[in-house]
Amino acid sequence: MIQLPVYSFQVTFLLLSAVMLTRYFLLAGMFRIVCERSRKEPIDKGTISSRQIKRDIYWSVQSSLIFALAGTVLIKLWQAGETQIYYDFQQYGLWYLVFSLGIYLFIHDTYFYWTHRLLHVYQFKKCHFVHHESRIPTAWTSFSFHPIEAVIQALILPVLVILIPIHWTVLVSFLVIMSLCGLLNHLGFDFYPTFLEKKFSLISATHHQRHHKQVTVNYGLYFTFWDKLMKTEAGETHG
Ligand SMILES: [Zn+2]
Ligand SMILES: [Zn+2]
C-alpha cells in the first residue's frame, strides 16, 4: 500500500511544482530533440521562431504551477480520506482497473472537448489565443495556456477522484497518458501508425495541428468521437 509522506500544504506545493516543472522541461526538451533529429517530414514546414519557443515556455511555467496547485489539493484530499482512490487491486475486481481507466479517459475527453469549445467563444477567446498563437506547435506548446485556461483544465481531476473509484496505479497511468497525449498532439510530427488513429479514433498530431490553424475544427484531446458526433471534425489523417 502506498503511503504518501505528509507535508504541509506549502511544502507539498513546492515539491509538486518542482515535479511539474521537471516534467515539462524534461519531456518537452526530449521530444523536441527527437523531432529535430528525426528523418520524418514535419507536418508543416514553416519556420518556428525562438520568440514562439520563449513565449510557450513562459506560459507553460505558469500552467505547471497551476497544475501543481491542483495536484496539491488532490494529495491533501487523498490524505484526508476524501477521495475514491483505493489500494487493493481486488476491491472492485480486476476488470474495473481497465474500465476505470476508460471511464476517466472518456470523461476527461468529454470535459476537454466542451470546455475547449467554450474557450473559442466570447471573452474566453482572449485567454485561449495564448495557446493558438503557436500556429505551428512544438513540444514546448503542450502546456502553453493562459492561467484561466490552466485552471479550467486543472479542475477536472480533483473532482473525478472524489466521485469515481480509481486504483492508485491506474491514476498514475492516467496521468502518464494525459501528459504524453498532450505532448504527442503538439509535436509537429506524427510518430504513431495511422491504423491507431483510424481503428481506435485516436487523435494524432496532424489532427490537432489542424485545429491550431483552422481553429473551428478538431477540438478533441484523446479521441475523435465528439468531433465526429458534433460534426466539427476536419477528417485529415496523417500518412
Ligand atoms: Zn493545442
Ligand atoms: Zn483551440
Side-chain angles (χ1 to χ4, degrees), residues 45-190:
K45 291 188 182 130
T47 314
I48 295 152
S49 67
S50 60
R51 197 168 156 266
Q52 176 185 318
I53 306 277
K54 279 182 200 154
R55 194 180 57 227
D56 281 345
I57 291 174
Y58 170 78
W59 291 112
S60 297
V61 166
Q62 294 185 49
S63 300
S64 296
L65 297 178
I66 290 167
F67 296 150
L69 189 60
T72 306
V73 171
L74 192 154
I75 286 173
K76 287 290 152 197
L77 286 169
W78 184 356
Q79 289 172 337
E82 301 291 339
T83 70
Q84 304 268 6
I85 300 169
Y86 64 96
Y87 306 97
D88 180 1
F89 281 110
Q90 299 291 351
Q91 188 166 337
Y92 294 92
L94 291 178
W95 67 273
Y96 185 76
L97 300 174
V98 180
F99 181 73
S100 57
L101 180 62
I103 286 285
Y104 266 66
L105 288 172
F106 175 73
I107 294 177
H108 189 213
D109 196 50
T110 302
Y111 178 79
F112 184 89
Y113 177 87
W114 287 105
T115 52
H116 191 179
R117 285 199 66 173
L118 190 68
L119 285 161
H120 275 270
V121 293
Y122 309 120
Q123 293 302 316
F124 293 117
K125 271 186 190 175
K126 286 178 188 162
C127 304
H128 191 49
F129 177 72
V130 162
H131 187 66
H132 275 271
E133 249 189 311
S134 300
R135 288 175 60 83
I136 304 174
T138 70
W140 298 111
T141 316
S142 51
F143 301 115
S144 172
F145 307 111
H146 186 279
I148 291 176
E149 182 172 354
V151 168
I152 291 171
Q153 288 195 21
L155 283 175
I156 185 70
L157 195 55
V159 174
L160 278 178
V161 296
I162 288 172
L163 295 177
I164 302 174
I166 188 163
H167 191 274
W168 73 269
T169 58
V170 179
L171 178 61
V172 172
S173 308
F174 171 71
L175 291 171
V176 170
I177 292 171
M178 186 169 73
S179 301
L180 283 179
C181 284
L183 270 163
L184 290 171
N185 288 354
H186 292 96
L187 287 186
F189 290 79
D190 264 316

